[in-house]
Structure formats: structure tokens, C-alpha cells
Amino acid sequence: MTTQFDTIDFHGLPALRMRSADGASAIVTMHGAHVVSWQPKRGGERLFLSERSPFATGKPIRGGIPVIFPQFGPDGPLPRHGFARTRDWALVDQHAGEDFARGIWQLTNTADTEALWPAAFTAEITVLLGGDRLDVELAVDNTGTASISFTAALHTYCKVREVELATLDGLEGARYRDQTQGKRLLTDGDEQLVVSGEVDRLYPDAPPEQVLGTGDGKLILTREGFPDIVVWNPWEEKCAALADMAPDGFRGMLCVEAAAAAKPVIVAPGESWSGRQSFELR
Ligand code: BG6
């Protein structure tokens, strides 16, 4: 397969299809700088994307890797999960080497974002693809004269063959806030996380590596800069209430999110912050 970048139409949204010379591919929409597809060299789609997702300006895409910035969740004055996932980002660089392909997208403050969040910033998403690995990095520069404070996440929807048979290793003994129980602080006593009901957990300062048994290979998830992990599956009842998910959509996904959500990131004027989530199929 040749190395290439193509601008494509993805359900009506402009998107970049990236291919590395060694046979991996990804699709990223300009809307949200959102990775909506990742197929490693070994093949097979690795990200869940809801068949009922809207693909429209101003609306979040359900699935893939939504970029959550500058507010995680509903706690704060901004729209739920911030505005980055519903804005158009600009593709500022595309580059391929012998065994990788890389795209970079930027979002900067406008009168529209300032009306929601009075901050001067440049946010950048870098998607690096090659072999059986994908790296997604969010970097934020404070371009203003006052400190900025935000929460953020890469809200990754991992595709699993059947969620009840999926396993997540690497969180044993970790503390988490159970969002289904009023944010109660609990300790994960299980060797493996197995989903058999609604799961909505924020693990602050989580261990550095998790292994997801997807039913079609093992996905190794690591991160840098993002201290926390969120694990989410809405299960039957909550899924049925989501207009952008099929009633059984929850069975094909497990969100394992790299997050800076337990406490805000503070960036001084002229300084920057970055966080990365990496995936490797083994
Ligand atoms: C998760 C949250 O990160 O995102 C959940 O922990 C939330 O509480 C989920 O339901 C999905 O959010 P949204 O806004 O994309 O429906």
C-alpha cells in the first residue's frame, strides 16, 4: 500500500484519510479533530462508531476519539464536555515517513469560544499512525496574558466484540470515583474489570498501562501527561435513552479515556501542557 493522505467526505463531513506505508490507516474529521476510524497494520477496525451518530456542525460524534476540552463532563459553566468536539479544527500539517503517517490539527480562540471561555489558546491534536500503533496527543498553549485552567480528555470508544466478554486489566487496587453512585470513592478490588452493568468511573492518578481484551486481540493502552482514566459504558437503560446510539450499541464499545479531569490543569501565560494516549495492538 502506498503512503498517502486523501481528503474525503465522511458522512458529509470533510475528513483526512491517512495511510502509513506499512498498511495502517485512520480517518480524522476536521469537525472536532476527531479520529473516527483506526485500522492497524494487522487490519480490522479498532474504534467503535455509532451508526446513529449525527455528523453535523455543532453536534458531537458518538464514537471514535472525541477531544474533550476545556471542560470534562457537566461540572462547570461550559457545554457538557467542552466545545472542542463540536468545533471545526484546521489541518496544519501532514507528513509521512517510511513507517508512519502524521497529521496535526489546530483550534484557536475566536470570539465564539471567548464568549464561552475567556481564554487565549492554541490547542493542537497530533495523530501518529504506523504498524499496529496509534498515538493521539493533545497540546494546549496559553497564548494570552492570564493563566488558564481547564480539564480535558481523549474520550476513546474502543471497539469490543461483546462488552460482557471484554476484560480490562491494569486497574487492580486503583481508587475511583463511581459516577453512578454520586461520585463515591471506592477501590477497585478486581483483578480484571468485566462489564456487566453501567460503568462510569473516574480513576484519578491511574496506573500507567491498561490491557483491553477486545475479543479480537489485545489492545495495550498507555498515556503520558493525562493523570486520570475514565471507564464508561452506559449499559442498556442509559443507552436506550441516547438518541445517537442504537439500543444494543453499548455491547460493541467500552470507553477507556485518558483524562485530566480530577483536578484542573493550570497553564501560565506563554506556557503549554500536553497529554497523549497511545494504543498498540498485540
Ligand atoms: C463519560 C462520562 O466520560 O462520557 C459519562 O463519564 C458520560 O458520565 C459519557 O455519560 C458520555 O458523555 P456524552 O456527553 O458524550 O453523552
Side-chain angles (χ1 to χ4, degrees), residues 60-63 66 68 72-74 80-81 85 153 155 157 179 198-202 230-234 238 242 244 255 257:
I61 295 171
R62 176 74 66 191
I68 306 303
F72 181 85
R80 185 188 170 77
H81 280 331
R85 64 177 177 167
H155 194 305
Y157 285 73
Q179 325 256 46
E198 184 190 356
V199 177
D200 193 351
R201 299 178 176 185
L202 166 63
V230 176
V231 181
W232 180 62
N233 182 289
K238 289 231 167 115
L242 295 171
D244 54 4
C255 283
E257 311 167 30

Side-chain angles (χ1 to χ4, degrees), residues 120-278:
F121 68 90
T122 299
E124 201 165 86
I125 283 287
T126 302
V127 177
L128 181 67
L129 168 80
D132 286 326
R133 190 180 163 105
L134 176 75
D135 296 271
V136 182
E137 183 179 276
L138 170 67
V140 179
D141 289 348
N142 180 349
T143 56
T145 52
S147 282
I148 60 173
S149 165
F150 58 86
T151 46
L154 295 171
H155 194 305
T156 306
Y157 285 73
C158 299
K159 182 175 174 169
V160 293
R161 187 165 281 175
E162 159 55 55
V163 73
E164 282 190 85
L165 302 177
T167 52
L168 186 64
D169 282 90
L171 291 168
E172 190 184 3
R175 290 169 315 131
Y176 65 92
R177 295 215 171 267
D178 195 324
Q179 325 256 46
T180 70
Q181 294 186 49
K183 300 191 178 167
R184 220 172 121 199
L185 191 59
L186 299 168
T187 301
D188 197 334
D190 296 330
E191 199 183 315
Q192 284 189 321
L193 178 74
V194 178
V195 178
S196 57
E198 184 190 356
V199 177
D200 193 351
R201 299 178 176 185
L202 166 63
Y203 291 81
D205 295 314
E209 180 178 301
Q210 283 67 46
V211 180
L212 178 65
T214 66
D216 182 17
K218 284 200 158 125
L219 197 60
I220 318 297
L221 296 112
T222 51
R223 34 186 231 294
E224 252 175 59
F226 283 115
D228 316 325
I229 286 182
V230 176
V231 181
W232 180 62
N233 182 289
W235 205 249
E236 218 165 332
E237 212 174 292
K238 289 231 167 115
C239 185
L242 295 171
D244 54 4
M245 285 278 269
D248 64 348
F250 70 95
R251 296 211 163 271
M253 50 122 336
L254 184 63
C255 283
V256 184
E257 311 167 30
K263 44 181 192 288
V265 175
I266 296 167
V267 182
E271 300 290 318
S272 53
W273 169 90
S274 68
R276 190 173 71 219
Q277 189 176 31
S278 302

Side-chain angles (χ1 to χ4, degrees), residues 97-111:
E98 219 170 273
D99 56 358
F100 73 92
R102 188 188 65 212
I104 302 180
W105 285 259
Q106 273 183 1
L107 179 74
T108 47
N109 54 296
T110 57

Side-chain angles (χ1 to χ4, degrees), residues 64-94:
I65 310 184
V67 177
I68 306 303
F69 172 82
Q71 176 188 298
F72 181 85
D75 302 329
L78 297 180
R80 185 188 170 77
H81 280 331
F83 52 70
R85 64 177 177 167
T86 53
R87 292 292 183 288
D88 285 337
W89 292 55
L91 175 66
V92 294
D93 190 37
Q94 56 189 53

